Amino acid sequence: MSTCTTASRQLDEPLSGTAATARTWLLIEQPGPWGAKALTSSHLDPALGRALEAAAEGTGVRVALIRRPGRHADCGPLAERHVYVGHTTPGGVWLHGAMTRDPERLLDLDFAALGAGDPRSFDDVLRGRPHTGDPLALVCTNGKRDRCCALLGRPLAAELAASGVGGTWEVTHLGGHRFSPTVLVLPYGYAYGRTETHAVMEILQGVREGRVVTEGCRGNSAWERPGQAAELAVRTASGEQAAGVLTVVRTDGTAPRWEVTVAHVDGRVWRVVVARGASLPPRPESCGSALGSPARMDVVAVRQLEHTAIPVAC
């Protein structure tokens, strides 16, 4: 059976610079079936889903639904649900969790503050606390958006859960169906594609040790796509594995070519040239869609600068 994932893998489409962009993730537990637009087509009140979408718009917060791996029959109302919020910008990374019986309380959150990295409204409204358990492995499994997410994502989530990975959740949408199975790992916010169980286990061990595994990495969701590609290129060129030490401080230019400045906490600075190209030959970006040439982020050059004042971000 030919799928968008099969075509992307056979054509060796690069993963770097393809992660969904979000400085902050708000994750709401909602078991049962999900539709293509899960916030308004699940057992969550669709009016609440629309209100959450509106509240998050333009704030840097991305809202998604999560559920535990397994069967997803109609099990009736959920008495109490997990809620997580995680900020992914290096230097200010955090992950908080809470339990709530009243999801309407989510509308009392300060979405602009959450997007800017301030968790206080989450803690005040939902009695949230810093998450102290396992890192979260969020596996995209929403087959209503693309069959590859269900065919490949659900078995991966089940294998992880069976292997004792306590932070495993299914999630509604991470973008990039053709890279299934796709995984987002919190708190650091790096996304991965074409993942297998052993690879996710290695990635999570890296998170526990404060390391970033770059193999199979699509990028850090805190950055726009040119920045994602630039940061990963600097990690490859420098051999840097530590999480939270590289920041995209400036992006100059417009599509299809950017100059991205990446700074290390130790004072080193790199200038990375990233160009937008087209993936050829054409391939489906999603199962059932017409053939297309999805954009790719090609790193043209990586140059370390002399120690100097870091340019002001814009």
Side-chain angles (χ1 to χ4, degrees):
M1 177 178 59
S2 178
T3 64
C4 64
T5 300
T6 302
S8 177
R9 189 184 294 269
Q10 290 177 342
L11 294 170
D12 197 25
E13 186 177 350
L15 293 166
S16 176
T18 66
T21 56
R23 294 190 303 273
T24 301
W25 292 82
L26 177 61
L27 307 170
I28 306 161
E29 184 180 6
Q30 181 56 62
W34 296 333
K37 295 183 178 180
L39 280 178
T40 55
S41 54
S42 72
H43 290 167
L44 186 74
D45 180 355
L48 174 59
R50 286 189 292 271
L52 288 170
E53 288 178 331
E57 186 174 359
T59 65
V61 177
R62 184 172 176 131
V63 185
L65 303 183
I66 57 174
R67 65 191 177 194
R68 288 298 189 184
R71 298 184 61 187
H72 305 302
D74 185 347
C75 299
L78 185 65
E80 192 172 35
R81 68 190 72 214
H82 290 80
V83 183
Y84 296 99
V85 64
H87 188 66
T88 63
T89 302
V93 171
W94 48 260
L95 176 63
H96 288 209
M99 300 291 294
T100 184
R101 295 177 179 273
D102 181 9
E104 295 283 343
R105 295 295 306 278
L106 294 166
L107 295 177
D108 295 330
L109 298 175
D110 186 336
F111 281 79
L114 292 175
D118 183 350
R120 286 178 294 181
S121 72
F122 182 84
D123 294 347
D124 292 343
V125 170
L126 299 176
R127 297 183 180 178
R129 295 291 182 270
H131 177 68
T132 57
D134 292 331
L136 303 187
L138 306 162
V139 184
C140 184
T141 63
N142 192 351
K144 293 296 184 180
R145 292 193 70 98
D146 191 280
R147 62 180 175 175
C148 286
C149 297
L151 291 173
L152 300 174
R154 290 194 64 191
L156 174 63
E159 288 176 10
L160 289 171
S163 298
V165 180
T168 304
W169 293 88
E170 297 185 6
V171 68
T172 46
H173 185 46
L174 298 178
H177 313 298
R178 63 193 184 279
F179 304 125
S180 295
T182 60
V183 178
L184 175 74
V185 179
L186 293 177
Y188 294 125
Y190 287 87
Y192 293 83
R194 303 181 188 132
T195 47
E196 298 179 1
T197 300
H198 68 87
V200 178
M201 302 287 273
E202 180 182 345
I203 291 163
L204 293 174
Q205 184 59 33
V207 172
R208 295 184 189 98
E209 297 172 357
R211 294 185 292 107
V212 176
V213 173
T214 57
E215 184 175 358
C217 191
R218 300 174 61 193
N220 186 332
S221 75
W223 315 128
E224 297 295 326
R225 293 184 176 182
Q228 295 173 12
E231 187 217 337
L232 290 177
V234 169
R235 287 190 176 277
T236 299
S238 65
E240 181 60 76
Q241 295 184 333
V245 299
L246 293 176
T247 301
V248 174
V249 296
R250 185 181 179 98
T251 300
D252 296 302
T254 57
R257 191 178 180 90
W258 302 266
E259 287 194 356
V260 182
T261 304
V262 179
H264 195 289
V265 293
D266 65 9
R268 286 178 290 167
V269 179
W270 291 262
R271 184 69 50 80
V272 184
V273 179
V274 180
R276 187 183 67 191
S279 298
L280 296 172
R283 78 287 311 274
E285 293 190 49
S286 184
C287 288
S289 67
L291 296 181
S293 299
R296 52 185 287 170
M297 294 293 130
D298 294 323
V299 174
V300 177
V302 180
R303 180 168 61 96
Q304 185 174 346
L305 307 180
E306 296 295 328
H307 279 61
T308 184
I310 297 175
V312 176
C314 63

